[in-house]
Amino acid sequence: MKLGVDPTSPVPVSEQIAEGIRFAVASGECAPGERLPSVRGLAREILVNPNTVAKVYRDLEREGVVRTRPGLGVFVAEGSAARCRRASRDVVLRAMRAAVGKAVGAGLGPAEVESLVADCLFEAGAAVHE
Amino acid sequence: MKLGVDPTSPVPVSEQIAEGIRFAVASGECAPGERLPSVRGLAREILVNPNTVAKVYRDLEREGVVRTRPGLGVFVAEGSAARCRRASRDVVLRAMRAAVGKAVGAGLGPAEVESLVADCLFEAGAAVHE
Amino acid sequence: MKLGVDPTSPVPVSEQIAEGIRFAVASGECAPGERLPSVRGLAREILVNPNTVAKVYRDLEREGVVRTRPGLGVFVAEGSAARCRRASRDVVLRAMRAAVGKAVGAGLGPAEVESLVADCLFEAGAAVHE
Amino acid sequence: MKLGVDPTSPVPVSEQIAEGIRFAVASGECAPGERLPSVRGLAREILVNPNTVAKVYRDLEREGVVRTRPGLGVFVAEGSAARCRRASRDVVLRAMRAAVGKAVGAGLGPAEVESLVADCLFEAGAAVHE
DNA sequence: GTGGTCTAGACCACC
DNA sequence: GTGGTCTAGACCACG
């Protein structure tokens, strides 16, 4: 699981991490029942305070995405894939609506927006294929 | 000038307002020399605390986008259009990169992303033409 | 609102505080719409870290007991009284079941249990009437 | 010996087990000199990690309730009944005080508390006589 | 080793 | 002044 965290973003680090995990569950990269990284391990990996990761897991537990077994670790909850797919779809839709809204607000025409999207797709694709 | 503010967004309300004003200047909707709404008037209009609007004008003044003439009001600064166009372009690019990144992260293929963008363009266009 | 917190108890301090607030709402001592003590104020009052109080309010918000308005304070949510009454009833029932269970497990007969309860009622009543 | 363990309770599992054993000694159900279940046997019986049971026996040994004879097993210590009776009485008193305190805090009057106790006694009695 | 809770103190955004 | 987030580091209970 590759979680990119931007500490300068206005969206809280914990929410970025949570979103990354929801996406991973939604895409099937993390299957239900599978064990997630430990609080301390993930914190060390992404250079974040363990408390922050603990908060993420606590939030995701309340959301039903994750099941934590004290002493054993944190696991993807059964039946959470659908919920994560829904959540992820909403997040993507919301982000895209905002981005396109800004673009037309900035005076870009439909063709320009589509060309911009193509550029971004290329970047993202390049990143994926690297 | 149409400023949509979402108080639940993680991006600060003051930043949302500032961005809206920069966009309006960038698009020419607010021309240099033009008078902007008063602190209290704008605050009442978009249902925000006057202190927040005051902070926005203060920030934009330091940025050179706006010039406040005590007793007269706040005006779009001469020569600020280019700066705002640049800033807006960056904001749009950043938002689009984030949105497309999320979309491919959620497993959408290029064609699906483009279709999603088309939907969003339609929505935004409809909103614009209403 | 009188919140007695026992830091030596195995039940987490934050849960003790939350329970005290639920009780206060259930009993009508804190009416819906009413403002609760501020995070820092309550923390100072009951000699607890502000983060702990913040956690309590965050949990109660998710539970629907409380509505927090950033910059303004924390308020009792509309329609939370019934939920709190239910929760409080459950807590009392659970505690009493456990206590009576322990008592009979320790070999006390029904009459002895009732006498013990009478003593405790007297203590609690004395505390209330002081 | 009937040890009900609730893993979700905030009181530590090891303490729940220790308390159960103290109660059994206090009531005479386990007489001094009598052999207690083995660490692994008890662990299997109540579905708990053997380390936890081992910790319980270690704690009770330091407390003088139990005497472990390497290779032979764990035995109820001579002269421990009185100490356990005292400890159990304290635990019961504390639990009852807490329960009654919560009940009056929740707004129950003395008569309602007594009626609640009667209900609990009935439940507990039924459980005992089954 | 695991997670859970708490303390302490910093910074930010908003009223 | 308000709450929100994050860091840092302590202690506890459990596997």
Side-chain angles (χ1 to χ4, degrees), chain A residues 12-14 40 48-49 51-52 55 70-72:
Chain A
V13 171
S14 55
R40 291 162 169 86
V48 148
N49 189 287
N51 283 334
T52 304
K55 183 184 187 229
L72 291 179

mmCIF file of all heavy atoms in Angstrom, chain A residues 12-14 40 48-49 51-52 55 70-72, chain F residues 4-15:
data_model
loop_
_atom_site.group_PDB
_atom_site.id
_atom_site.type_symbol
_atom_site.label_atom_id
_atom_site.label_comp_id
_atom_site.label_asym_id
_atom_site.label_seq_id
_atom_site.Cartn_x
_atom_site.Cartn_y
_atom_site.Cartn_z
ATOM 1 N N PRO A 12 -6.330 17.424 6.704
ATOM 2 C CA PRO A 12 -5.544 16.842 7.792
ATOM 3 C C PRO A 12 -4.817 15.567 7.379
ATOM 4 O O PRO A 12 -5.364 14.758 6.609
ATOM 5 C CB PRO A 12 -6.591 16.528 8.861
ATOM 6 C CG PRO A 12 -7.719 17.454 8.580
ATOM 7 C CD PRO A 12 -7.710 17.675 7.097
ATOM 8 N N VAL A 13 -3.628 15.415 7.877
ATOM 9 C CA VAL A 13 -2.827 14.231 7.576
ATOM 10 C C VAL A 13 -3.607 12.964 7.878
ATOM 11 O O VAL A 13 -3.613 12.019 7.085
ATOM 12 C CB VAL A 13 -1.523 14.255 8.396
ATOM 13 C CG1 VAL A 13 -0.776 12.946 8.264
ATOM 14 C CG2 VAL A 13 -0.655 15.408 7.946
ATOM 15 N N SER A 14 -4.291 12.944 9.003
ATOM 16 C CA SER A 14 -5.014 11.723 9.374
ATOM 17 C C SER A 14 -6.086 11.401 8.335
ATOM 18 O O SER A 14 -6.300 10.233 8.018
ATOM 19 C CB SER A 14 -5.637 11.874 10.757
ATOM 20 O OG SER A 14 -6.460 13.018 10.804
ATOM 21 N N ARG A 40 2.581 1.522 14.900
ATOM 22 C CA ARG A 40 3.945 2.044 14.947
ATOM 23 C C ARG A 40 4.671 1.846 13.625
ATOM 24 O O ARG A 40 5.436 2.712 13.193
ATOM 25 C CB ARG A 40 4.717 1.353 16.071
ATOM 26 C CG ARG A 40 4.238 1.734 17.475
ATOM 27 C CD ARG A 40 4.744 0.701 18.481
ATOM 28 N NE ARG A 40 4.575 1.078 19.865
ATOM 29 C CZ ARG A 40 3.479 0.868 20.574
ATOM 30 N NH1 ARG A 40 2.425 0.320 20.011
ATOM 31 N NH2 ARG A 40 3.428 1.219 21.837
ATOM 32 N N VAL A 48 5.217 9.813 10.353
ATOM 33 C CA VAL A 48 4.116 10.485 11.029
ATOM 34 C C VAL A 48 4.096 9.995 12.470
ATOM 35 O O VAL A 48 4.610 8.923 12.772
ATOM 36 C CB VAL A 48 2.806 10.145 10.279
ATOM 37 C CG1 VAL A 48 1.632 10.100 11.204
ATOM 38 C CG2 VAL A 48 2.576 11.146 9.157
ATOM 39 N N ASN A 49 3.498 10.774 13.342
ATOM 40 C CA ASN A 49 3.441 10.365 14.740
ATOM 41 C C ASN A 49 2.506 9.161 14.927
ATOM 42 O O ASN A 49 1.417 9.138 14.352
ATOM 43 C CB ASN A 49 2.962 11.548 15.584
ATOM 44 C CG ASN A 49 3.084 11.261 17.063
ATOM 45 O OD1 ASN A 49 2.309 10.480 17.596
ATOM 46 N ND2 ASN A 49 4.057 11.849 17.706
ATOM 47 N N ASN A 51 0.512 8.431 17.194
ATOM 48 C CA ASN A 51 -0.829 8.842 17.623
ATOM 49 C C ASN A 51 -1.721 9.167 16.440
ATOM 50 O O ASN A 51 -2.927 8.932 16.478
ATOM 51 C CB ASN A 51 -0.742 10.068 18.528
ATOM 52 C CG ASN A 51 -0.290 9.697 19.922
ATOM 53 O OD1 ASN A 51 -0.490 8.577 20.361
ATOM 54 N ND2 ASN A 51 0.342 10.633 20.591
ATOM 55 N N THR A 52 -1.132 9.739 15.411
ATOM 56 C CA THR A 52 -1.913 10.106 14.232
ATOM 57 C C THR A 52 -2.453 8.849 13.552
ATOM 58 O O THR A 52 -3.633 8.789 13.184
ATOM 59 C CB THR A 52 -1.047 10.925 13.264
ATOM 60 O OG1 THR A 52 -0.539 12.055 13.950
ATOM 61 C CG2 THR A 52 -1.852 11.375 12.070
ATOM 62 N N LYS A 55 -5.195 7.375 15.582
ATOM 63 C CA LYS A 55 -6.447 8.105 15.368
ATOM 64 C C LYS A 55 -7.130 7.637 14.069
ATOM 65 O O LYS A 55 -8.345 7.435 14.025
ATOM 66 C CB LYS A 55 -6.150 9.602 15.292
ATOM 67 C CG LYS A 55 -7.371 10.458 15.143
ATOM 68 C CD LYS A 55 -6.987 11.914 14.968
ATOM 69 C CE LYS A 55 -8.211 12.804 14.984
ATOM 70 N NZ LYS A 55 -8.187 13.734 13.842
ATOM 71 N N PRO A 70 -6.854 -5.970 19.753
ATOM 72 C CA PRO A 70 -5.752 -5.521 20.609
ATOM 73 C C PRO A 70 -4.722 -6.627 20.806
ATOM 74 O O PRO A 70 -5.068 -7.762 21.102
ATOM 75 C CB PRO A 70 -6.446 -5.179 21.929
ATOM 76 C CG PRO A 70 -7.845 -4.869 21.540
ATOM 77 C CD PRO A 70 -8.157 -5.747 20.381
ATOM 78 N N GLY A 71 -3.493 -6.262 20.624
ATOM 79 C CA GLY A 71 -2.425 -7.242 20.799
ATOM 80 C C GLY A 71 -2.095 -7.985 19.526
ATOM 81 O O GLY A 71 -1.013 -8.562 19.390
ATOM 82 N N LEU A 72 -3.049 -8.003 18.581
ATOM 83 C CA LEU A 72 -2.827 -8.743 17.340
ATOM 84 C C LEU A 72 -2.581 -7.824 16.156
ATOM 85 O O LEU A 72 -1.749 -8.110 15.306
ATOM 86 C CB LEU A 72 -4.035 -9.635 17.036
ATOM 87 C CG LEU A 72 -4.230 -10.804 17.994
ATOM 88 C CD1 LEU A 72 -5.468 -11.588 17.613
ATOM 89 C CD2 LEU A 72 -2.999 -11.702 17.956
ATOM 90 P P DG F 4 -13.427 20.531 17.810
ATOM 91 O OP1 DG F 4 -14.317 19.861 16.846
ATOM 92 O OP2 DG F 4 -12.934 19.832 19.008
ATOM 93 O "O5'" DG F 4 -12.160 21.039 16.977
ATOM 94 C "C5'" DG F 4 -12.342 21.461 15.622
ATOM 95 C "C4'" DG F 4 -11.112 21.071 14.821
ATOM 96 O "O4'" DG F 4 -9.980 21.843 15.254
ATOM 97 C "C3'" DG F 4 -10.730 19.606 15.022
ATOM 98 O "O3'" DG F 4 -10.402 19.056 13.740
ATOM 99 C "C2'" DG F 4 -9.532 19.645 15.947
ATOM 100 C "C1'" DG F 4 -8.919 21.013 15.649
ATOM 101 N N9 DG F 4 -8.286 21.610 16.822
ATOM 102 C C8 DG F 4 -8.803 21.656 18.089
ATOM 103 N N7 DG F 4 -8.025 22.254 18.953
ATOM 104 C C5 DG F 4 -6.928 22.626 18.204
ATOM 105 C C6 DG F 4 -5.750 23.313 18.586
ATOM 106 O O6 DG F 4 -5.445 23.738 19.700
ATOM 107 N N1 DG F 4 -4.892 23.486 17.504
ATOM 108 C C2 DG F 4 -5.130 23.069 16.225
ATOM 109 N N2 DG F 4 -4.195 23.313 15.309
ATOM 110 N N3 DG F 4 -6.235 22.427 15.849
ATOM 111 C C4 DG F 4 -7.076 22.239 16.895
ATOM 112 P P DT F 5 -9.857 17.630 13.605
ATOM 113 O OP1 DT F 5 -10.249 17.195 12.262
ATOM 114 O OP2 DT F 5 -10.206 16.858 14.811
ATOM 115 O "O5'" DT F 5 -8.276 17.830 13.592
ATOM 116 C "C5'" DT F 5 -7.706 18.644 12.591
ATOM 117 C "C4'" DT F 5 -6.221 18.683 12.808
ATOM 118 O "O4'" DT F 5 -5.917 19.373 14.032
ATOM 119 C "C3'" DT F 5 -5.597 17.287 12.940
ATOM 120 O "O3'" DT F 5 -4.729 17.107 11.839
ATOM 121 C "C2'" DT F 5 -4.854 17.337 14.274
ATOM 122 C "C1'" DT F 5 -4.739 18.825 14.557
ATOM 123 N N1 DT F 5 -4.688 19.198 15.985
ATOM 124 C C2 DT F 5 -3.592 19.858 16.475
ATOM 125 O O2 DT F 5 -2.638 20.148 15.785
ATOM 126 N N3 DT F 5 -3.653 20.165 17.809
ATOM 127 C C4 DT F 5 -4.680 19.881 18.683
ATOM 128 O O4 DT F 5 -4.612 20.209 19.854
ATOM 129 C C5 DT F 5 -5.800 19.195 18.102
ATOM 130 C C7 DT F 5 -6.972 18.839 18.948
ATOM 131 C C6 DT F 5 -5.758 18.887 16.795
ATOM 132 P P DC F 6 -3.992 15.749 11.589
ATOM 133 O OP1 DC F 6 -3.742 15.654 10.146
ATOM 134 O OP2 DC F 6 -4.748 14.684 12.285
ATOM 135 O "O5'" DC F 6 -2.600 15.929 12.340
ATOM 136 C "C5'" DC F 6 -1.710 16.965 11.943
ATOM 137 C "C4'" DC F 6 -0.599 17.107 12.964
ATOM 138 O "O4'" DC F 6 -1.147 17.595 14.200
ATOM 139 C "C3'" DC F 6 0.090 15.788 13.321
ATOM 140 O "O3'" DC F 6 1.373 15.764 12.694
ATOM 141 C "C2'" DC F 6 0.190 15.810 14.845
ATOM 142 C "C1'" DC F 6 -0.272 17.206 15.233
ATOM 143 N N1 DC F 6 -1.021 17.237 16.516
ATOM 144 C C2 DC F 6 -0.441 17.800 17.652
ATOM 145 O O2 DC F 6 0.706 18.274 17.558
ATOM 146 N N3 DC F 6 -1.126 17.814 18.809
ATOM 147 C C4 DC F 6 -2.355 17.291 18.863
ATOM 148 N N4 DC F 6 -2.989 17.330 20.030
ATOM 149 C C5 DC F 6 -2.970 16.705 17.715
ATOM 150 C C6 DC F 6 -2.273 16.698 16.571
ATOM 151 P P DT F 7 2.368 14.541 12.982
ATOM 152 O OP1 DT F 7 3.302 14.526 11.832
ATOM 153 O OP2 DT F 7 1.588 13.346 13.318
ATOM 154 O "O5'" DT F 7 3.197 14.985 14.273
ATOM 155 C "C5'" DT F 7 3.816 16.258 14.297
ATOM 156 C "C4'" DT F 7 4.600 16.440 15.580
ATOM 157 O "O4'" DT F 7 3.692 16.697 16.677
ATOM 158 C "C3'" DT F 7 5.427 15.216 15.993
ATOM 159 O "O3'" DT F 7 6.735 15.647 16.333
ATOM 160 C "C2'" DT F 7 4.692 14.664 17.206
ATOM 161 C "C1'" DT F 7 4.030 15.896 17.784
ATOM 162 N N1 DT F 7 2.775 15.607 18.505
ATOM 163 C C2 DT F 7 2.638 15.992 19.819
ATOM 164 O O2 DT F 7 3.502 16.568 20.430
ATOM 165 N N3 DT F 7 1.429 15.666 20.379
ATOM 166 C C4 DT F 7 0.370 15.014 19.773
ATOM 167 O O4 DT F 7 -0.665 14.781 20.381
ATOM 168 C C5 DT F 7 0.591 14.650 18.402
ATOM 169 C C7 DT F 7 -0.478 13.929 17.650
ATOM 170 C C6 DT F 7 1.768 14.956 17.835
ATOM 171 P P DA F 8 7.935 14.631 16.459
ATOM 172 O OP1 DA F 8 9.151 15.373 16.079
ATOM 173 O OP2 DA F 8 7.582 13.378 15.770
ATOM 174 O "O5'" DA F 8 7.965 14.355 18.021
ATOM 175 C "C5'" DA F 8 7.944 15.444 18.917
ATOM 176 C "C4'" DA F 8 7.905 14.923 20.353
ATOM 177 O "O4'" DA F 8 6.532 14.837 20.799
ATOM 178 C "C3'" DA F 8 8.500 13.512 20.529
ATOM 179 O "O3'" DA F 8 9.525 13.588 21.498
ATOM 180 C "C2'" DA F 8 7.331 12.660 20.972
ATOM 181 C "C1'" DA F 8 6.391 13.696 21.593
ATOM 182 N N9 DA F 8 4.983 13.311 21.518
ATOM 183 C C8 DA F 8 4.326 12.798 20.443
ATOM 184 N N7 DA F 8 3.061 12.535 20.678
ATOM 185 C C5 DA F 8 2.878 12.909 21.998
ATOM 186 C C6 DA F 8 1.764 12.899 22.853
ATOM 187 N N6 DA F 8 0.570 12.451 22.472
ATOM 188 N N1 DA F 8 1.933 13.357 24.127
ATOM 189 C C2 DA F 8 3.143 13.797 24.491
ATOM 190 N N3 DA F 8 4.270 13.872 23.776
ATOM 191 C C4 DA F 8 4.065 13.409 22.533
ATOM 192 P P DG F 9 10.509 12.365 21.790
ATOM 193 O OP1 DG F 9 11.819 12.953 22.135
ATOM 194 O OP2 DG F 9 10.394 11.377 20.701
ATOM 195 O "O5'" DG F 9 9.871 11.769 23.116
ATOM 196 C "C5'" DG F 9 9.516 12.641 24.169
ATOM 197 C "C4'" DG F 9 8.616 11.906 25.163
ATOM 198 O "O4'" DG F 9 7.249 11.886 24.701
ATOM 199 C "C3'" DG F 9 9.006 10.424 25.378
ATOM 200 O "O3'" DG F 9 8.941 10.129 26.759
ATOM 201 C "C2'" DG F 9 7.917 9.703 24.630
ATOM 202 C "C1'" DG F 9 6.740 10.604 24.986
ATOM 203 N N9 DG F 9 5.529 10.311 24.232
ATOM 204 C C8 DG F 9 5.432 9.957 22.906
ATOM 205 N N7 DG F 9 4.209 9.714 22.528
ATOM 206 C C5 DG F 9 3.443 9.923 23.677
ATOM 207 C C6 DG F 9 2.050 9.798 23.887
ATOM 208 O O6 DG F 9 1.179 9.485 23.081
ATOM 209 N N1 DG F 9 1.698 10.095 25.200
ATOM 210 C C2 DG F 9 2.581 10.458 26.181
ATOM 211 N N2 DG F 9 2.079 10.690 27.386
ATOM 212 N N3 DG F 9 3.897 10.568 25.993
ATOM 213 C C4 DG F 9 4.251 10.291 24.724
ATOM 214 P P DA F 10 9.728 8.817 27.339
ATOM 215 O OP1 DA F 10 10.986 9.303 27.919
ATOM 216 O OP2 DA F 10 9.738 7.754 26.308
ATOM 217 O "O5'" DA F 10 8.761 8.340 28.516
ATOM 218 C "C5'" DA F 10 8.312 9.290 29.464
ATOM 219 C "C4'" DA F 10 6.925 8.907 29.962
ATOM 220 O "O4'" DA F 10 5.987 9.045 28.871
ATOM 221 C "C3'" DA F 10 6.829 7.428 30.373
ATOM 222 O "O3'" DA F 10 6.886 7.316 31.790
ATOM 223 C "C2'" DA F 10 5.440 6.998 29.902
ATOM 224 C "C1'" DA F 10 4.927 8.140 29.068
ATOM 225 N N9 DA F 10 4.484 7.683 27.754
ATOM 226 C C8 DA F 10 5.247 7.484 26.638
ATOM 227 N N7 DA F 10 4.551 7.072 25.596
ATOM 228 C C5 DA F 10 3.256 7.000 26.074
ATOM 229 C C6 DA F 10 2.038 6.633 25.462
ATOM 230 N N6 DA F 10 1.953 6.248 24.196
ATOM 231 N N1 DA F 10 0.922 6.662 26.232
ATOM 232 C C2 DA F 10 1.022 7.054 27.511
ATOM 233 N N3 DA F 10 2.106 7.425 28.181
ATOM 234 C C4 DA F 10 3.197 7.379 27.397
ATOM 235 P P DC F 11 7.124 5.813 32.380
ATOM 236 O OP1 DC F 11 7.583 6.023 33.758
ATOM 237 O OP2 DC F 11 7.896 4.999 31.403
ATOM 238 O "O5'" DC F 11 5.664 5.186 32.425
ATOM 239 C "C5'" DC F 11 4.618 5.830 33.134
ATOM 240 C "C4'" DC F 11 3.341 5.052 32.906
ATOM 241 O "O4'" DC F 11 2.940 5.188 31.521
ATOM 242 C "C3'" DC F 11 3.501 3.537 33.153
ATOM 243 O "O3'" DC F 11 2.581 3.113 34.149
ATOM 244 C "C2'" DC F 11 3.181 2.892 31.817
ATOM 245 C "C1'" DC F 11 2.412 3.958 31.080
ATOM 246 N N1 DC F 11 2.592 3.850 29.604
ATOM 247 C C2 DC F 11 1.474 3.733 28.783
ATOM 248 O O2 DC F 11 0.350 3.746 29.303
ATOM 249 N N3 DC F 11 1.636 3.600 27.444
ATOM 250 C C4 DC F 11 2.869 3.596 26.923
ATOM 251 N N4 DC F 11 2.982 3.468 25.610
ATOM 252 C C5 DC F 11 4.029 3.723 27.748
ATOM 253 C C6 DC F 11 3.853 3.836 29.077
ATOM 254 P P DC F 12 2.499 1.573 34.573
ATOM 255 O OP1 DC F 12 2.107 1.597 35.989
ATOM 256 O OP2 DC F 12 3.702 0.836 34.108
ATOM 257 O "O5'" DC F 12 1.266 1.022 33.728
ATOM 258 C "C5'" DC F 12 0.006 1.685 33.780
ATOM 259 C "C4'" DC F 12 -1.007 0.909 32.955
ATOM 260 O "O4'" DC F 12 -0.771 1.130 31.550
ATOM 261 C "C3'" DC F 12 -0.926 -0.600 33.173
ATOM 262 O "O3'" DC F 12 -2.216 -1.129 33.420
ATOM 263 C "C2'" DC F 12 -0.362 -1.143 31.868
ATOM 264 C "C1'" DC F 12 -0.793 -0.094 30.855
ATOM 265 N N1 DC F 12 0.136 0.004 29.714
ATOM 266 C C2 DC F 12 -0.349 -0.123 28.409
ATOM 267 O O2 DC F 12 -1.554 -0.311 28.241
ATOM 268 N N3 DC F 12 0.525 -0.051 27.374
ATOM 269 C C4 DC F 12 1.821 0.156 27.610
ATOM 270 N N4 DC F 12 2.645 0.229 26.567
ATOM 271 C C5 DC F 12 2.336 0.295 28.930
ATOM 272 C C6 DC F 12 1.470 0.208 29.957
ATOM 273 P P DA F 13 -2.324 -2.582 34.042
ATOM 274 O OP1 DA F 13 -3.347 -2.518 35.102
ATOM 275 O OP2 DA F 13 -0.968 -3.120 34.298
ATOM 276 O "O5'" DA F 13 -2.936 -3.410 32.830
ATOM 277 C "C5'" DA F 13 -4.051 -2.885 32.151
ATOM 278 C "C4'" DA F 13 -4.312 -3.737 30.929
ATOM 279 O "O4'" DA F 13 -3.381 -3.381 29.893
ATOM 280 C "C3'" DA F 13 -4.125 -5.234 31.174
ATOM 281 O "O3'" DA F 13 -5.163 -5.917 30.504
ATOM 282 C "C2'" DA F 13 -2.754 -5.522 30.561
ATOM 283 C "C1'" DA F 13 -2.756 -4.541 29.397
ATOM 284 N N9 DA F 13 -1.421 -4.170 28.942
ATOM 285 C C8 DA F 13 -0.332 -3.877 29.712
ATOM 286 N N7 DA F 13 0.747 -3.573 29.013
ATOM 287 C C5 DA F 13 0.318 -3.677 27.703
ATOM 288 C C6 DA F 13 0.975 -3.494 26.489
ATOM 289 N N6 DA F 13 2.256 -3.147 26.382
ATOM 290 N N1 DA F 13 0.266 -3.677 25.348
ATOM 291 C C2 DA F 13 -1.028 -4.023 25.450
ATOM 292 N N3 DA F 13 -1.760 -4.222 26.544
ATOM 293 C C4 DA F 13 -1.009 -4.034 27.648
ATOM 294 P P DC F 14 -5.411 -7.423 30.692
ATOM 295 O OP1 DC F 14 -6.859 -7.607 30.812
ATOM 296 O OP2 DC F 14 -4.480 -7.918 31.723
ATOM 297 O "O5'" DC F 14 -4.970 -8.015 29.286
ATOM 298 C "C5'" DC F 14 -5.526 -7.446 28.100
ATOM 299 C "C4'" DC F 14 -4.720 -7.910 26.909
ATOM 300 O "O4'" DC F 14 -3.425 -7.287 26.929
ATOM 301 C "C3'" DC F 14 -4.466 -9.415 26.855
ATOM 302 O "O3'" DC F 14 -5.023 -9.909 25.658
ATOM 303 C "C2'" DC F 14 -2.951 -9.544 26.890
ATOM 304 C "C1'" DC F 14 -2.510 -8.188 26.360
ATOM 305 N N1 DC F 14 -1.139 -7.779 26.774
ATOM 306 C C2 DC F 14 -0.192 -7.514 25.787
ATOM 307 O O2 DC F 14 -0.517 -7.638 24.588
ATOM 308 N N3 DC F 14 1.067 -7.146 26.161
ATOM 309 C C4 DC F 14 1.361 -7.029 27.447
ATOM 310 N N4 DC F 14 2.606 -6.650 27.757
ATOM 311 C C5 DC F 14 0.404 -7.279 28.477
ATOM 312 C C6 DC F 14 -0.829 -7.652 28.096
ATOM 313 P P DG F 15 -4.857 -11.406 25.247
ATOM 314 O OP1 DG F 15 -6.036 -11.669 24.411
ATOM 315 O OP2 DG F 15 -4.588 -12.190 26.462
ATOM 316 O "O5'" DG F 15 -3.556 -11.457 24.322
ATOM 317 C "C5'" DG F 15 -3.621 -10.915 23.022
ATOM 318 C "C4'" DG F 15 -2.492 -11.451 22.159
ATOM 319 O "O4'" DG F 15 -1.237 -10.917 22.624
ATOM 320 C "C3'" DG F 15 -2.328 -12.967 22.169
ATOM 321 O "O3'" DG F 15 -1.921 -13.387 20.865
ATOM 322 C "C2'" DG F 15 -1.197 -13.191 23.172
ATOM 323 C "C1'" DG F 15 -0.338 -11.963 22.933
ATOM 324 N N9 DG F 15 0.406 -11.510 24.110
ATOM 325 C C8 DG F 15 -0.074 -11.379 25.390
ATOM 326 N N7 DG F 15 0.817 -10.928 26.228
ATOM 327 C C5 DG F 15 1.957 -10.750 25.458
ATOM 328 C C6 DG F 15 3.236 -10.279 25.811
ATOM 329 O O6 DG F 15 3.639 -9.926 26.918
ATOM 330 N N1 DG F 15 4.088 -10.240 24.713
ATOM 331 C C2 DG F 15 3.756 -10.602 23.426
ATOM 332 N N2 DG F 15 4.698 -10.505 22.504
ATOM 333 N N3 DG F 15 2.557 -11.048 23.086
ATOM 334 C C4 DG F 15 1.710 -11.088 24.140
#
